[in-house]
Amino acid sequence: MSRISYVNGKYCEHNNSYVHIEDRGYQFADGVYELIPFFQDKAFLLDKHLLRLNKNLSEMKIENIYSNDEWRSYINKLTSYYDYTNFYVYIQVSRGAPKHEEEVLRQHHYYNEMEPTIFMYVSEINLLPEDKIRKGFSCVTLDDLRWGMCNIKSISLAYNALAKNYAKEREAFETVFVKKGIITEGSSSNIFIVKDNVFYTPQLNNYVLPGITRGYVIEEIKTLDYQIQEIDISIDMLEKADEAFLTNSTQFLVPISSLNKKIIGSGQAGKYSCELYEKFKKSFNWCYNFFYNNCDCCNWKNNGWKSF
Ligand code: PDD
C-alpha cells in the first residue's frame, strides 16, 4: 500500500509532500489541526471534529475554504487509498505562505489575502492492548506553562511535546498539567476522575481543549444515569480519587493507575472506566469481551491482543 497524502487539492506520494519554507505554520505555528479517528473503518464523531475545526479556524481568523461536504469528500477519497481498520486522518490548516516578493521576509503580521495551506495524511492507530488497559497507566505532573489559548487546537505544541517527553523519560504514559494547584489536562488528553460514584472533569476554560472524546464521554456518563460535574479539580482530589482516566481521539479512554508514583484508587482500571470502554466498543459492534471476558468471536484473540 503506497502512502498517499493530500496537499492543497492534490493527492501526492507522502514522501514527496511538501509545503513552502515560509509557510506561517512552519515559521510561527500559525495554524490549527484536527485528528479524526476511524475505528473498525468507521469515522468516529466526524461532524464534531469538522465543527471544532471550523470554530478554531474562525478564532484564528483563517478562512475555512471548504464546506463540510467538501471536507467529507476529500477525507473519503484520501481514506480510500488505505485499508487500515483503525486509523486517523490528520488535518492541518495553516495561514499559508506569503506570495508577494518582499525584500524583508518573516513579517509577524499577516496579509488577509493569503491562501491557507491544507494538508491531510492517514496513520494507523495502534490501540493499547486490553490487558494493559486493565492494569492502567502511570502519569506524572508538570507545571502548565503553555500559552493561554489552549482551548484552540493550535499546532503550537512545543510545550506539550516537552511534557510528553518528560513522561517518557520517567517511564510514564502521560504528563498531567497543573496550573496553580488545579489540573488542566494531559499533554495530549483530557482527564476525568470518579469519587464516591460521581464523575468529575475540569471545566472548560482557556487552558482546557474541548476534547471531542471528552464531550462524547460526558454524554455517555449522562446516558448511563451517572452524575458528572465540570469543576476545578485539585491535585489532592486527583490523588484521592477512586478512579481516574484520560480521554483522546486515538485511544478513547486510558485508565490511570498512579500519579507521580502514588497509586490512584485500586491501582488499576476502575469499574466505571471499564464500563465506558466496553460501551464504546459495543457502539462499533466490536468484540466486546473487555468487561465480561467471555467472547472469542473475533480477531482480538487471533491477533494475540487478548492476553487474559
Ligand atoms: N490530541 N487536550 C490536548 C492538549 C490534546 O492534544 C488532545 C488530543 C485532547 C483530547 O482531544 P480529542 O478528544 O478531541 O482528541 C485534549 C490529539 C489526539 C493529538 O494531538 O494527537
Side-chain angles (χ1 to χ4, degrees):
M1 182 169 59
S2 76
R3 188 176 278 278
I4 302 292
S5 293
Y6 173 100
V7 187
N8 289 332
K10 297 200 177 84
Y11 295 84
C12 323
E13 275 291 329
H14 184 76
N15 289 339
N16 286 317
S17 300
Y18 299 104
V19 297
H20 197 278
I21 55 166
E22 268 200 89
D23 192 277
R24 291 183 62 93
Y26 189 59
Q27 293 216 353
F28 295 102
D30 187 358
V32 300
Y33 74 105
E34 265 306 325
L35 190 150
I36 300 162
F38 286 64
F39 297 111
Q40 303 294 90
D41 206 20
K42 288 192 201 91
F44 186 50
L45 308 172
L46 174 62
D47 289 348
K48 293 211 176 339
H49 282 279
L50 291 179
L51 194 69
R52 182 172 66 182
L53 176 64
N54 196 34
K55 188 163 181 284
N56 285 179
L57 285 170
S58 119
E59 294 200 39
M60 292 287 285
K61 301 183 171 54
I62 297 174
E63 192 188 352
N64 185 354
I65 60 170
Y66 299 149
S67 66
N68 278 0
D69 281 348
E70 284 169 322
W71 279 114
R72 271 189 222 101
S73 100
Y74 300 141
I75 290 169
N76 271 344
K77 174 152 183 201
L78 182 63
T79 56
S80 71
Y81 290 107
Y82 293 84
D83 55 17
Y84 297 138
T85 309
N86 301 314
F87 56 96
Y88 65 76
V89 174
Y90 177 85
I91 303 178
Q92 185 168 312
V93 184
S94 65
R95 201 178 303 278
K99 279 213 186 95
H100 53 87
E101 306 277 325
E102 293 228 351
E103 290 299 318
V104 180
L105 303 180
R106 194 176 171 274
Q107 304 280 1
H108 280 63
H109 67 262
Y110 53 82
Y111 298 88
N112 287 333
E113 68 277 11
M114 290 176 65
E115 267 176 40
T117 299
I118 300 175
F119 70 77
M120 298 194 264
Y121 58 71
V122 175
S123 170
E124 192 167 21
I125 290 180
N126 284 323
L127 285 160
L128 294 164
E130 296 202 351
D131 57 331
K132 289 204 170 152
I133 293 183
R134 283 169 169 279
K135 284 186 183 139
F137 288 82
S138 60
C139 289
V140 289
T141 55
L142 190 67
D143 247 13
D144 192 345
L145 300 179
R146 296 172 299 162
W147 75 327
M149 291 168 75
C150 308
N151 53 318
I152 295 177
K153 205 161 168 61
S154 155
I155 56 174
S156 169
L157 290 174
Y159 192 71
N160 300 60
L162 286 172
K164 189 67 94 185
N165 224 57
Y166 179 85
K168 188 173 167 232
E169 283 164 3
R170 283 152 187 80
E171 292 178 3
F173 179 80
E174 176 65 303
T175 292
V176 175
F177 290 132
V178 183
K179 193 141 202 106
K180 295 182 184 155
I182 301 297
I183 304 294
T184 54
E185 58 181 349
S187 75
S188 65
S189 54
N190 293 113
I191 186 163
F192 288 73
I193 65 170
V194 185
K195 182 74 185 170
D196 297 331
N197 304 313
V198 178
F199 289 79
Y200 301 89
T201 192
Q203 57 187 319
L204 293 180
N205 58 35
N206 56 319
Y207 288 106
V208 180
L209 183 82
I212 302 302
T213 325
R214 174 190 181 278
Y216 176 84
V217 165
I218 289 175
E219 288 315 308
E220 289 296 285
I221 291 167
K222 289 179 181 164
T223 313
L224 289 165
D225 261 347
Y226 298 133
Q227 281 182 57
I228 164 95
Q229 291 183 21
E230 298 177 53
I231 55 163
D232 282 349
I233 297 176
S234 64
I235 278 239
D236 189 51
M237 285 166 76
L238 173 53
E239 282 174 354
K240 292 183 179 146
D242 297 332
E243 51 184 287
F245 58 87
L246 307 163
T247 60
N248 77 10
S249 293
T250 47
Q251 294 297 339
F252 183 63
L253 185 151
V254 178
I256 299 177
S257 55
S258 68
L259 184 75
N260 299 327
K261 300 212 164 121
K262 278 190 215 149
I263 298 291
I264 303 277
S266 64
Q268 56 186 2
K271 65 171 182 174
Y272 292 111
S273 310
C274 292
E275 189 177 0
L276 287 165
Y277 194 87
E278 182 67 20
K279 194 156 186 272
F280 158 72
K281 283 186 69 185
K282 259 188 197 172
S283 69
F284 285 92
N285 287 328
W286 219 321
C287 165
Y288 46 92
N289 55 2
F290 183 69
F291 204 39
Y292 301 107
N293 191 15
N294 63 357
C295 170
D296 58 0
C297 65
C298 75
N299 60 4
W300 284 90
K301 198 169 187 177
N302 300 337
N303 286 342
W305 297 342
K306 184 170 164 265
S307 56
F308 49 87

